[in-house]
Amino acid sequence: MSKKTQPSTLFRPLLAATLAVSASVGAVLPAHADYLWLQTDNGQTRAQVGELHKAPGPLSDLSEPRQVVAEGKTVPASADPFVLAKEEGALADQRFAATRAGSDGVLTYYQARFGREETRAVHDLELVPTTPQGNTYQLMFKGRPVAASQVNVDTSEGWRRVLLPAKDGTVRFTPSFPGLYVMEVTARVDNGSVKLNGKQYDEVRHTATLSFEVPQ
């Protein structure tokens, strides 16, 4: 990797993923905190929150649920805002976003992606395959490559594994059996204090997932 594409050292993530990844800027976050992910059932794609190997958590405390179909373009929520619509001309991979304003002073931006076809990021924080349907991934934050320090693999079958990144900051993993895989990254932003709807939040996190199915 050339010097221009080396992972940023200004964004210092300490990552643990579920295929979860969680990341922190400046401090280690819990390895398996709640995240938002996408999965399909009977041809329908739905957003879930919690952890893959546990019962889904409540969606009621999430705000601004929206389907992302292109850079800067979202689709208004349907009757069930956590079920994705089939948008004509949308991106090859499906994306969804929501926000959680925690009572603990933490504001979390959830960004989920389903599929490994595209090799570009659309969300602010996104784990991107370097080749279509490939097994090497680069974490991107606002268009810049950043390095994960640890990656945990979690699947619908309850199988989990810890991975370490390569020297170039990428993460490599080859699925070994059919099922749903989720890659999750949670990054705490340095100096991320923000005011939203009149309330001050002293900590801002971006949580991103990349999920995909390996068929039988």
Side-chain angles (χ1 to χ4, degrees):
M1 183 177 286
S2 67
K3 291 183 178 179
K4 291 184 179 180
T5 58
Q6 284 290 342
S8 170
T9 57
L10 297 177
F11 182 92
R12 305 184 305 278
L14 302 172
L15 300 179
T18 304
L19 217 184
V21 194
S22 62
S24 163
V25 180
V28 178
L29 298 182
H32 298 289
D34 283 358
Y35 49 84
L36 183 78
W37 78 93
L38 299 176
Q39 65 182 66
T40 59
D41 185 25
N42 296 323
Q44 184 183 73
T45 304
R46 168 176 285 276
Q48 302 278 16
V49 70
E51 294 183 43
L52 181 61
H53 63 287
K54 297 181 179 180
L59 299 169
S60 57
D61 61 345
L62 301 183
S63 61
E64 300 181 312
R66 56 204 182 277
Q67 181 177 349
V68 181
V69 295
E71 294 91 337
K73 181 182 177 183
T74 61
V75 176
S78 62
D80 184 342
F82 293 93
V83 173
L84 276 65
K86 293 185 177 180
E87 181 79 1
E88 185 176 351
L91 296 166
D93 297 328
Q94 294 179 292
R95 290 174 174 83
F96 190 85
T99 305
R100 172 184 282 161
S103 58
D104 55 357
V106 177
L107 182 66
T108 303
Y109 294 102
Y110 290 105
Q111 299 151 105
R113 167 179 171 171
F114 185 87
R116 297 184 292 166
E117 187 62 34
E118 297 168 13
T119 58
R120 59 173 175 152
V122 174
H123 290 306
D124 281 350
L125 185 67
E126 192 166 315
L127 199 59
V128 180
T130 57
T131 59
Q133 301 297 329
N135 296 320
T136 300
Y137 305 89
Q138 176 67 66
L139 182 62
M140 303 293 292
F141 182 67
K142 295 188 175 180
R144 298 183 63 185
V146 294
S149 62
Q150 179 177 313
V151 175
N152 302 313
V153 180
D154 215 5
T155 77
S156 56
E157 304 303 311
W159 183 81
R160 179 176 291 174
R161 181 180 177 184
V162 176
L163 307 174
L164 297 177
K167 290 183 179 180
D168 62 3
T170 61
V171 174
R172 298 182 177 93
F173 172 72
T174 302
S176 56
F177 51 82
L180 175 67
Y181 291 76
V182 179
M183 306 183 75
E184 178 265 325
V185 185
T186 300
R188 191 181 71 195
V189 180
D190 278 336
N191 302 316
S193 178
V194 68
K195 195 171 187 177
L196 180 66
N197 297 327
K199 183 175 180 179
Q200 186 72 30
Y201 295 91
D202 296 327
E203 184 175 320
V204 176
R205 298 179 184 179
H206 288 265
T207 295
T209 61
L210 169 63
S211 54
F212 57 90
E213 291 273 3
V214 175
Q216 293 281 351

